[in-house]
Amino acid sequence: MKTKDLVIVAMFTALIAVLGLLPAINLGIGVPFTFQNLGYILAGCLLGSKRGGLSVLLFVILIAMGLPLLSGGRGGFGLFFGPTGGYILSFPIVAYLIGLLTERRFHDMSVWKIFLINALIGALLCNLIGGIFMAFNLHMPILKALKTVIVFIPGDLVKGLIAAILAVRLQKVPSIRRFLNTV
């Protein structure tokens, strides 16, 4: 991996951490509504599978090491065994899959095609993994847990749309295109 790629990975890791400074919205179900998933969805859209997945994996490793990078200043290995553990573990998978589906044909893709990928992977798959993990950690029926996390889907769809719009617009800026297209 080139130095330029390492810088891009680190920058997106920092972007996801900065999005954690925005206050979380507590919905009373154990998992807060945060803006950090906008960062990992955007990492997949802009950086592709390898660099996007790696930037989010680095973020997750930093959380596991105890850095308070999650929304609300949370961090630590114990979070992986609580209600939010499945979400945290799904972040790199989601970024990788979004990147995999967008990287090869990104220049041909419209906002709506990217949004569809973001909706299916960034909203639905993330909440599916998070909901199942939450069910096991809270000892609740899986169907009940999945019904509980439905509340996150509209907001995650909005974040997926924002990421799609930003990705398409940023990819058109020549200096950003040169910076991002190092593969």
Side-chain angles (χ1 to χ4, degrees):
M1 186 173 272
K2 297 177 182 177
T3 303
K4 187 176 186 181
D5 293 324
L6 294 173
V7 170
I8 293 169
V9 165
M11 284 175 47
F12 263 82
T13 301
L15 173 67
I16 298 166
V18 167
L19 287 171
L21 296 174
L22 298 173
I25 300 168
N26 190 349
L27 300 175
I29 61 171
V31 178
F33 177 89
T34 71
F35 297 92
Q36 286 183 314
N37 45 354
L38 174 61
Y40 69 76
I41 291 170
L42 193 57
C45 290
L46 283 175
L47 303 184
S49 59
K50 183 179 177 184
R51 292 180 300 165
L54 188 58
S55 69
V56 181
L57 180 61
L58 176 59
F59 177 74
V60 170
I61 290 169
L62 293 172
I63 292 168
M65 291 173 52
L67 292 174
L69 299 178
L70 283 175
S71 187
R74 298 173 302 127
F77 196 65
L79 291 173
F80 293 88
F81 301 101
T84 60
Y87 288 96
I88 298 167
L89 292 171
S90 76
F91 293 169
I93 297 166
V94 167
Y96 178 83
L97 290 174
I98 288 172
L100 190 65
L101 294 172
T102 59
E103 68 189 347
R104 299 290 179 224
R105 301 201 30 112
F106 187 86
H107 57 282
D108 295 337
M109 297 185 86
S110 68
V111 168
W112 296 110
K113 289 178 184 175
I114 296 172
F115 168 67
L116 181 61
I117 292 168
N118 292 347
L120 292 174
I121 307 293
L124 298 179
L125 181 63
C126 180
N127 283 297
L128 179 66
I129 294 170
I132 291 171
F133 202 88
M134 184 176 72
F136 285 110
N137 280 327
L138 298 179
H139 307 290
M140 67 184 344
I142 291 175
L143 191 55
K144 181 179 179 185
L146 292 176
K147 286 180 184 177
T148 303
V149 301
I150 286 175
V151 70
F152 293 109
I153 294 187
D156 289 347
L157 291 174
V158 169
K159 289 179 260 184
L161 180 60
I162 292 168
I165 292 167
L166 285 172
V168 168
R169 291 205 175 153
L170 289 173
Q171 190 72 359
K172 290 179 181 177
V173 176
S175 59
I176 292 175
R177 174 177 251 157
R178 280 191 308 275
F179 187 67
L180 294 175
N181 293 332
T182 59
V183 178

